[in-house]
Amino acid sequence: MKRFLHHCSILLSLYIFSSSAIAFDYADALQKSLLFFEAQRSGRLPYNQRVTWRDHSGLTDGLEQGVDLVGGYYDAGDHVKFGLPMAFTVTMLSWSVIEYGEEISYVGEMEHAFEAIKWGSDYFIKAHTSPTVLWAEVGDGDTDHYCWQRPEDMTTSRRAFKIDENNPGSDLAGETAAAMAAASIAFRKSNPHYSHLLLHHAQQLFEFGEKYRGKYDKSVGVVKNYYASVSGYEDELLWAALWLYKATDKEDYLEYVINKANSFGGVGWAITEFSWDVKFAGLQIIASKLLQEEKHKKYSHILEQYRSKAEHYICSCLDKNNGSTNVERTPAGLLYVRQWNNMQYVSTAAFLLTFYSDFLKKSNQKITCHEGTVDHEELFNFAKSQVDYILGSNPKNMSYLVGFGPNYPKRVHHRGASIVSYRENKGFIGCTQGYDYWYSKNGPNPNVLIGAIVGGPDNQDDFDDDRANYVQTEACTYNTSPLVGIFAKLNFFNNPPLIASF
């Protein structure tokens, strides 16, 4: 028995070694990830649309309310346009371009990255119809979920919902302001006029969110079962102010982040997730970086507190905090935050850890966790291990990035991908007809949702590739957006440019 166990442990070691030794094509992963956003487009598709199984949809969005809300993104496998996750998606795409633009350009994908951001930011400009009005949602999750249709055939309600002075939504206004501020930085060199326009909207939205405070899910009740703001709005207001400081260099915004650090929980909450709902960890990590600059020394007392909380998040991901404050992991080492769409937390963690690893390397620093010190290499290697798990270095040898590698989910929970393309068959497919014929089909989806990152495996590394298993097989824009920059960074790291020597 002992010899058998020893033999098993050798095989396990060989598996772990061989898995970690897989060399992934990160450039291909980057190219595919940017394609996903084209599959999620709502509105009138452009001439250079590369995902050819999609066509125009949602062309009357906002008509009932007398406003043009055509465009933007469907967040997942359904057809509601939810403002909060869409804004977070754009923030993370923009952050990827800001931090890893050179690496994205190296693969020749910068134009597609800009297009992905602009498809969202153009929509936000439309949705922000006056300084204190922001359209929060188009469609209604309840009626939308009764139907299984292609977006091109939609018969469900396209009613739009807004936040305003009487119906506040500081979390939505804050995240949309952050998205537009981040996008304004991303476009500053290539499109300065557009960058200025985005910044104008971002500043107005922040002022609106700050002056008329309230949770958006109280004002827009239909969102409660889908994207309720559990963390409240304080994190988004701090997050927006910090992005506006990065975009404008105006001290007022930084002072907001400093003065409200305690009352808004910026330095009080030690959080172990970063998501469309909870921004504290991202906020704390960006704030930590400000400590390096001389002009911020007068704020060092508060910035040190932000840094302490940022490093708590990092140590918890690395399993180096004290006991129960660590993020759970699957047996094969994947970060596991919760059952439903766990991959969103893995991709955001991979981004934050890579970003902080770069910061530690440049500043020649280390982190001190409860279980010992951590250098930039350990941080980077762990982030890479999470990305590699997503790409196929896992017990199932399954790539959770659809279309990448030989083995990936074929039955993604996604209406458009699971029904014959409108371009192939323009015959109308009704609300229940889609369920009866397409949803229940055993075969793979007729359209491959390239670049989508699905919800992923459970806490035992098990995955059931079943369209009805939406907890694991539904894909979301905010799963993929944080990985755009990381794929580019990993490709650059593995294939650095050759420097000519003379």
Side-chain angles (χ1 to χ4, degrees):
M1 183 67 181
K2 279 183 182 176
R3 283 182 64 192
F4 171 76
L5 289 172
H6 178 64
H7 181 64
C8 284
S9 71
I10 289 171
L11 285 175
L12 183 62
S13 302
L14 284 171
Y15 162 73
I16 292 167
F17 175 78
S18 64
S19 296
S20 61
I22 295 170
F24 290 110
D25 185 345
Y26 299 113
D28 184 47
L30 168 63
Q31 288 159 350
K32 285 181 161 65
S33 68
L34 285 166
L35 268 175
F36 174 57
F37 297 97
E38 297 192 21
Q40 295 303 107
R41 285 172 170 170
S42 181
R44 185 166 292 282
L45 302 185
Y47 72 93
N48 60 348
Q49 169 82 10
R50 295 177 296 161
V51 178
T52 53
W53 52 266
R54 282 294 324 283
D55 210 332
H56 312 309
S57 64
L59 298 181
T60 60
D61 284 0
L63 192 64
E64 275 180 61
Q65 284 74 31
V67 59
D68 176 9
L69 296 175
V70 176
Y73 287 115
Y74 305 120
D75 73 297
D78 52 21
H79 302 137
V80 183
K81 294 194 300 206
F82 293 105
L84 189 58
M86 196 194 305
F88 182 67
T89 296
V90 170
T91 306
M92 294 310 296
L93 281 170
S94 301
W95 197 1
S96 284
V97 164
I98 293 163
E99 294 302 326
Y100 302 111
E102 184 186 344
E103 292 88 339
I104 294 169
S105 296
Y106 186 54
V107 186
E109 287 294 313
M110 187 57 101
E111 189 180 334
H112 293 135
F114 278 142
E115 285 173 0
I117 294 168
K118 197 168 185 292
W119 197 266
S121 56
D122 280 353
Y123 174 77
F124 298 142
I125 291 169
K126 285 182 170 186
H128 185 215
T129 49
S130 77
T132 56
V133 175
L134 177 65
W135 291 87
E137 179 176 331
V138 180
D140 160 22
D142 292 343
T143 56
D144 184 271
H145 283 198
Y146 289 136
C147 290
W148 195 263
Q149 287 176 295
R150 302 175 294 200
E152 297 82 4
D153 289 329
M154 257 190 293
T155 55
T156 48
S157 165
R158 300 306 287 170
R159 183 182 168 191
F161 303 86
K162 68 181 176 180
I163 55 170
D164 56 26
E165 296 170 26
N166 300 317
N167 305 282
S170 305
D171 27 28
L172 177 62
E175 184 58 57
T176 311
M180 294 175 103
S184 79
I185 301 170
F187 282 108
R188 190 176 285 158
K189 286 181 183 171
S190 65
N191 194 341
H193 174 74
Y194 186 63
S195 170
H196 183 74
L197 176 64
L198 290 171
L199 191 54
H200 174 68
H201 280 280
Q203 289 174 305
Q204 281 192 343
L205 280 165
F206 175 71
E207 285 168 28
F208 165 43
E210 162 57 24
K211 187 174 180 182
Y212 301 97
R213 291 191 200 166
K215 280 176 63 175
Y216 93 118
D217 56 20
K218 282 190 177 173
S219 298
V220 183
V222 291
V223 82
K224 260 204 165 78
N225 292 332
Y226 303 95
Y227 288 103
S229 181
V230 178
S231 70
Y233 58 76
E234 292 86 355
D235 53 336
E236 276 85 9
L237 286 177
L238 291 169
W239 178 240
L242 192 52
W243 275 108
L244 278 162
Y245 176 63
K246 283 169 70 71
T248 64
D249 212 27
K250 287 183 180 172
E251 193 105 351
D252 290 357
Y253 292 119
L254 179 57
E255 285 177 354
Y256 187 92
V257 175
I258 298 298
N259 294 338
K260 298 202 180 298
N262 280 297
S263 59
F264 276 15
V267 297
W269 287 104
I271 296 289
T272 53
E273 72 171 74
F274 176 52
S275 67
W276 59 264
D277 179 29
V278 188
K279 312 293 153 48
F280 287 114
L283 163 77
Q284 290 155 356
I285 276 174
I286 294 177
S288 303
K289 210 175 168 185
L290 300 179
L291 275 165
Q292 292 305 107
E293 296 177 51
E294 190 62 39
K295 65 179 179 177
H296 300 133
K297 291 295 181 206
K298 59 183 173 181
Y299 303 122
S300 60
H301 173 62
I302 298 295
L303 292 175
E304 284 288 0
Q305 292 178 53
Y306 272 114
R307 178 168 180 159
S308 170
K309 292 297 184 284
E311 295 188 354
H312 178 278
Y313 170 83
I314 289 162
C315 295
S316 70
C317 289
L318 293 171
D319 203 29
K320 287 181 180 286
N321 268 342
N322 192 8
S324 62
T325 58
N326 288 319
V327 179
E328 193 183 325
R329 293 191 197 179
T330 67
L334 183 72
L335 291 170
Y336 190 82
V337 174
R338 58 179 62 91
Q339 181 186 15
W340 194 307
N341 188 21
N342 181 62
M343 279 305 187
Q344 63 177 307
Y345 309 108
V346 180
S347 62
T348 52
F351 186 94
L352 292 186
L353 296 179
T354 304
F355 175 80
Y356 211 76
S357 164
D358 291 343
F359 164 59
L360 291 179
K361 185 178 181 181
K362 282 172 192 162
S363 56
N364 196 26
Q365 295 181 69
K366 294 182 181 180
I367 294 177
T368 303
C369 298
H370 186 271
E371 301 293 331
T373 58
V374 177
D375 63 13
H376 72 89
E377 277 186 75
E378 184 176 348
L379 207 49
F380 177 71
N381 288 336
F382 180 72
K384 181 178 179 295
S385 77
Q386 298 300 295
V387 175
D388 288 352
Y389 185 111
I390 292 171
L391 295 181
S393 183
N394 57 63
K396 294 239 172 233
N397 294 315
M398 164 80 75
S399 165
Y400 294 105
L401 178 72
V402 176
F404 182 85
N407 184 27
Y408 53 83
K410 305 292 196 298
R411 298 169 185 82
V412 181
H413 180 93
H414 188 278
R415 289 159 174 73
S418 68
I419 301 173
V420 64
S421 167
Y422 182 80
R423 300 255 176 123
E424 270 183 51
N425 179 358
K426 289 185 167 56
F428 175 74
I429 293 170
C431 179
T432 55
Q433 187 186 353
Y435 268 118
D436 294 343
Y437 186 74
W438 295 100
Y439 181 77
S440 53
K441 265 197 166 184
N442 286 328
N445 290 347
N447 309 303
V448 180
L449 192 64
I450 293 172
I453 290 178
V454 296
D458 64 15
N459 62 355
Q460 296 300 309
D461 300 295
D462 288 327
F463 178 79
D464 182 15
D465 184 13
D466 181 347
R467 207 169 291 115
N469 178 22
Y470 47 82
V471 169
Q472 292 189 320
T473 63
E474 191 163 21
C476 301
T477 55
Y478 46 87
N479 294 14
T480 298
S481 58
L483 289 177
V484 167
I486 307 308
F487 289 147
K489 159 90 179 178
L490 288 169
N491 174 69
F492 199 79
F493 183 79
N494 278 9
N495 307 287
L498 294 170
I499 300 169
S501 56
F502 298 98

